[in-house]
Coordinates of all heavy atoms in Angstrom, one line a residue:
Chain A
H66 N -0.3 9.0 12.1 CA -1.4 8.1 12.4 C -2.5 8.1 11.4 O -3.2 7.1 11.3 CB -1.9 8.3 13.9 CG -1.1 7.6 14.9 ND1 0.3 7.6 15.0 CD2 -1.5 6.7 15.8 CE1 0.7 6.8 15.9 NE2 -0.3 6.3 16.5
I101 N 6.5 6.5 10.3 CA 6.0 6.3 11.7 C 7.0 6.9 12.7 O 8.2 6.6 12.5 CB 5.7 4.8 11.9 CG1 4.8 4.3 10.8 CG2 5.1 4.6 13.3 CD1 4.7 2.7 10.8
C102 N 6.5 7.5 13.7 CA 7.3 8.1 14.8 C 8.5 7.2 15.1 O 9.7 7.6 15.1 CB 6.5 8.4 16.0 SG 5.4 7.1 16.6
H103 N 8.3 6.0 15.5 CA 9.3 5.1 16.1 C 10.4 4.9 15.0 O 11.6 4.8 15.3 CB 8.8 3.8 16.5 CG 7.6 3.9 17.5 ND1 7.8 4.5 18.7 CD2 6.3 3.6 17.4 CE1 6.6 4.6 19.3 NE2 5.7 4.0 18.5
D122 N 2.9 7.5 23.1 CA 2.6 6.4 22.3 C 3.0 5.1 23.0 O 4.1 5.1 23.5 CB 3.3 6.5 21.0 CG 2.8 5.4 20.0 OD1 3.2 4.3 20.1 OD2 1.9 5.7 19.2
H124 N 3.8 2.3 22.1 CA 4.9 1.4 21.7 C 6.3 2.1 21.8 O 7.3 1.7 21.1 CB 4.7 0.9 20.2 CG 3.6 0.0 20.2 ND1 2.3 0.3 19.8 CD2 3.5 -1.3 20.6 CE1 1.5 -0.8 20.0 NE2 2.2 -1.8 20.5
T298 N 3.4 -1.1 9.5 CA 3.4 -0.7 10.9 C 4.9 -0.6 11.5 O 5.8 -1.0 10.9 CB 2.6 -1.6 11.9 OG1 3.4 -2.8 12.2 CG2 1.2 -2.0 11.4
C299 N 4.9 0.0 12.7 CA 6.2 0.2 13.4 C 6.8 -1.2 13.7 O 8.0 -1.3 14.0 CB 6.0 1.0 14.6 SG 4.8 0.5 15.8
C357 N 1.1 4.9 9.6 CA 0.5 3.8 10.4 C -0.5 3.0 9.6 O -0.8 1.9 9.9 CB -0.1 4.3 11.7 SG 1.0 5.1 12.8
C360 N -3.5 0.4 10.8 CA -3.1 -0.3 12.1 C -4.1 0.0 13.2 O -4.5 -0.9 13.9 CB -1.7 0.1 12.5 SG -1.2 -0.6 14.1
M361 N -4.5 1.3 13.3 CA -5.4 1.6 14.4 C -6.8 2.1 13.9 O -7.5 2.8 14.6 CB -4.9 2.6 15.4 CG -4.6 4.0 14.8 SD -4.1 5.2 16.0 CE -5.5 5.1 17.2
N379 N 1.3 -5.2 15.6 CA 1.5 -5.7 17.0 C 0.3 -5.9 17.8 O 0.4 -6.4 19.0 CB 2.5 -4.7 17.7 CG 2.0 -3.3 17.5 OD1 0.8 -3.0 17.4 ND2 3.0 -2.3 17.5
R385 N -9.7 -2.8 16.8 CA -8.5 -2.1 16.6 C -8.4 -1.5 15.1 O -7.9 -0.4 14.9 CB -7.3 -3.1 16.8 CG -6.0 -2.6 16.4 CD -5.4 -1.5 17.4 NE -4.2 -1.0 17.0 CZ -3.5 -0.1 17.6 NH1 -4.0 0.4 18.7 NH2 -2.3 0.3 17.2
Ligands
SF4_501 S1 2.0 1.6 13.4 FE1 0.3 1.1 14.7 S2 1.3 0.5 16.6 FE2 2.8 1.6 15.4 S3 2.7 3.7 16.1 FE3 1.3 3.5 14.4 S4 -0.7 3.0 15.2 FE4 0.9 2.6 16.8

Side-chain angles (χ1 to χ4, degrees):
Chain A
H66 272 53
I101 304 168
C102 48
H103 310 297
D122 187 279
H124 291 101
T298 80
C299 56
C357 299
C360 179
M361 65 172 303
N379 45 31
R385 168 76 180 179

